[in-house]
mmCIF file of all heavy atoms in Angstrom:
data_model
loop_
_atom_site.group_PDB
_atom_site.id
_atom_site.type_symbol
_atom_site.label_atom_id
_atom_site.label_comp_id
_atom_site.label_asym_id
_atom_site.label_seq_id
_atom_site.Cartn_x
_atom_site.Cartn_y
_atom_site.Cartn_z
ATOM 1 N N LYS A 217 86.994 74.443 91.845
ATOM 2 C CA LYS A 217 85.607 74.572 92.295
ATOM 3 C C LYS A 217 84.846 75.610 91.470
ATOM 4 O O LYS A 217 83.686 75.401 91.081
ATOM 5 C CB LYS A 217 85.570 74.953 93.769
ATOM 6 C CG LYS A 217 85.843 73.795 94.720
ATOM 7 C CD LYS A 217 85.648 74.206 96.176
ATOM 8 C CE LYS A 217 85.814 73.021 97.133
ATOM 9 N NZ LYS A 217 85.609 73.408 98.545
ATOM 10 N N VAL A 218 85.490 76.754 91.182
ATOM 11 C CA VAL A 218 84.845 77.777 90.379
ATOM 12 C C VAL A 218 84.621 77.253 88.951
ATOM 13 O O VAL A 218 83.580 77.517 88.329
ATOM 14 C CB VAL A 218 85.665 79.074 90.375
ATOM 15 C CG1 VAL A 218 85.044 80.094 89.446
ATOM 16 C CG2 VAL A 218 85.762 79.655 91.780
ATOM 17 N N MET A 219 85.584 76.495 88.451
ATOM 18 C CA MET A 219 85.416 75.876 87.118
ATOM 19 C C MET A 219 84.250 74.897 87.113
ATOM 20 O O MET A 219 83.468 74.861 86.159
ATOM 21 C CB MET A 219 86.714 75.166 86.709
ATOM 22 C CG MET A 219 87.881 76.104 86.415
ATOM 23 S SD MET A 219 89.426 75.186 86.180
ATOM 24 C CE MET A 219 89.097 74.355 84.604
ATOM 25 N N MET A 220 84.119 74.114 88.180
ATOM 26 C CA MET A 220 83.002 73.183 88.265
ATOM 27 C C MET A 220 81.655 73.928 88.273
ATOM 28 O O MET A 220 80.656 73.448 87.714
ATOM 29 C CB MET A 220 83.153 72.309 89.501
ATOM 30 C CG MET A 220 84.264 71.294 89.422
ATOM 31 S SD MET A 220 84.655 70.483 91.021
ATOM 32 C CE MET A 220 83.121 69.631 91.346
ATOM 33 N N ALA A 221 81.635 75.107 88.874
ATOM 34 C CA ALA A 221 80.391 75.906 88.893
ATOM 35 C C ALA A 221 80.082 76.495 87.543
ATOM 36 O O ALA A 221 78.904 76.750 87.237
ATOM 37 C CB ALA A 221 80.525 77.020 89.949
ATOM 38 N N CYS A 222 81.118 76.722 86.705
ATOM 39 C CA CYS A 222 80.934 77.361 85.409
ATOM 40 C C CYS A 222 81.007 76.374 84.253
ATOM 41 O O CYS A 222 80.945 76.764 83.084
ATOM 42 C CB CYS A 222 81.989 78.426 85.200
ATOM 43 S SG CYS A 222 81.941 79.779 86.388
ATOM 44 N N ALA A 223 81.118 75.090 84.556
ATOM 45 C CA ALA A 223 81.354 74.068 83.525
ATOM 46 C C ALA A 223 80.158 73.893 82.595
ATOM 47 O O ALA A 223 79.009 74.151 82.975
ATOM 48 C CB ALA A 223 81.697 72.745 84.197
ATOM 49 N N THR A 224 80.457 73.413 81.403
ATOM 50 C CA THR A 224 79.395 73.050 80.441
ATOM 51 C C THR A 224 79.321 71.551 80.211
ATOM 52 O O THR A 224 78.363 71.067 79.621
ATOM 53 C CB THR A 224 79.630 73.765 79.095
ATOM 54 O OG1 THR A 224 80.896 73.354 78.553
ATOM 55 C CG2 THR A 224 79.606 75.265 79.261
ATOM 56 N N THR A 225 80.319 70.804 80.658
ATOM 57 C CA THR A 225 80.300 69.339 80.540
ATOM 58 C C THR A 225 80.777 68.730 81.871
ATOM 59 O O THR A 225 81.481 69.385 82.653
ATOM 60 C CB THR A 225 81.209 68.850 79.414
ATOM 61 O OG1 THR A 225 82.535 69.342 79.624
ATOM 62 C CG2 THR A 225 80.698 69.335 78.055
ATOM 63 N N ASN A 226 80.400 67.481 82.095
ATOM 64 C CA ASN A 226 80.777 66.745 83.318
ATOM 65 C C ASN A 226 80.464 67.567 84.576
ATOM 66 O O ASN A 226 81.229 67.618 85.537
ATOM 67 C CB ASN A 226 82.280 66.416 83.290
ATOM 68 C CG ASN A 226 82.637 65.450 82.186
ATOM 69 O OD1 ASN A 226 82.022 64.395 82.039
ATOM 70 N ND2 ASN A 226 83.613 65.816 81.379
ATOM 71 N N THR A 227 79.298 68.181 84.551
ATOM 72 C CA THR A 227 78.951 69.139 85.626
ATOM 73 C C THR A 227 78.622 68.449 86.952
ATOM 74 O O THR A 227 78.563 69.131 87.964
ATOM 75 C CB THR A 227 77.770 69.988 85.184
ATOM 76 O OG1 THR A 227 76.660 69.108 84.870
ATOM 77 C CG2 THR A 227 78.103 70.830 83.954
ATOM 78 N N ASN A 228 78.363 67.144 86.916
ATOM 79 C CA ASN A 228 78.008 66.459 88.170
ATOM 80 C C ASN A 228 79.120 65.529 88.658
ATOM 81 O O ASN A 228 78.881 64.650 89.478
ATOM 82 C CB ASN A 228 76.705 65.643 87.988
ATOM 83 C CG ASN A 228 76.875 64.587 86.915
ATOM 84 O OD1 ASN A 228 77.816 64.626 86.126
ATOM 85 N ND2 ASN A 228 75.931 63.638 86.875
ATOM 86 N N VAL A 229 80.341 65.751 88.152
ATOM 87 C CA VAL A 229 81.489 64.948 88.561
ATOM 88 C C VAL A 229 82.318 65.730 89.580
ATOM 89 O O VAL A 229 82.614 66.902 89.377
ATOM 90 C CB VAL A 229 82.366 64.572 87.352
ATOM 91 C CG1 VAL A 229 83.563 63.743 87.796
ATOM 92 C CG2 VAL A 229 81.554 63.825 86.310
ATOM 93 N N ASP A 230 82.695 65.076 90.675
ATOM 94 C CA ASP A 230 83.474 65.732 91.715
ATOM 95 C C ASP A 230 84.981 65.504 91.455
ATOM 96 O O ASP A 230 85.485 64.396 91.597
ATOM 97 C CB ASP A 230 83.102 65.160 93.072
ATOM 98 C CG ASP A 230 83.728 65.935 94.223
ATOM 99 O OD1 ASP A 230 84.493 66.880 93.958
ATOM 100 O OD2 ASP A 230 83.445 65.603 95.396
#
Side-chain angles (χ1 to χ4, degrees):
K217 283 185 175 181
V218 175
M219 291 171 69
M220 289 169 63
C222 298
T224 60
T225 56
N226 295 309
T227 58
N228 62 345
V229 180
D230 189 357

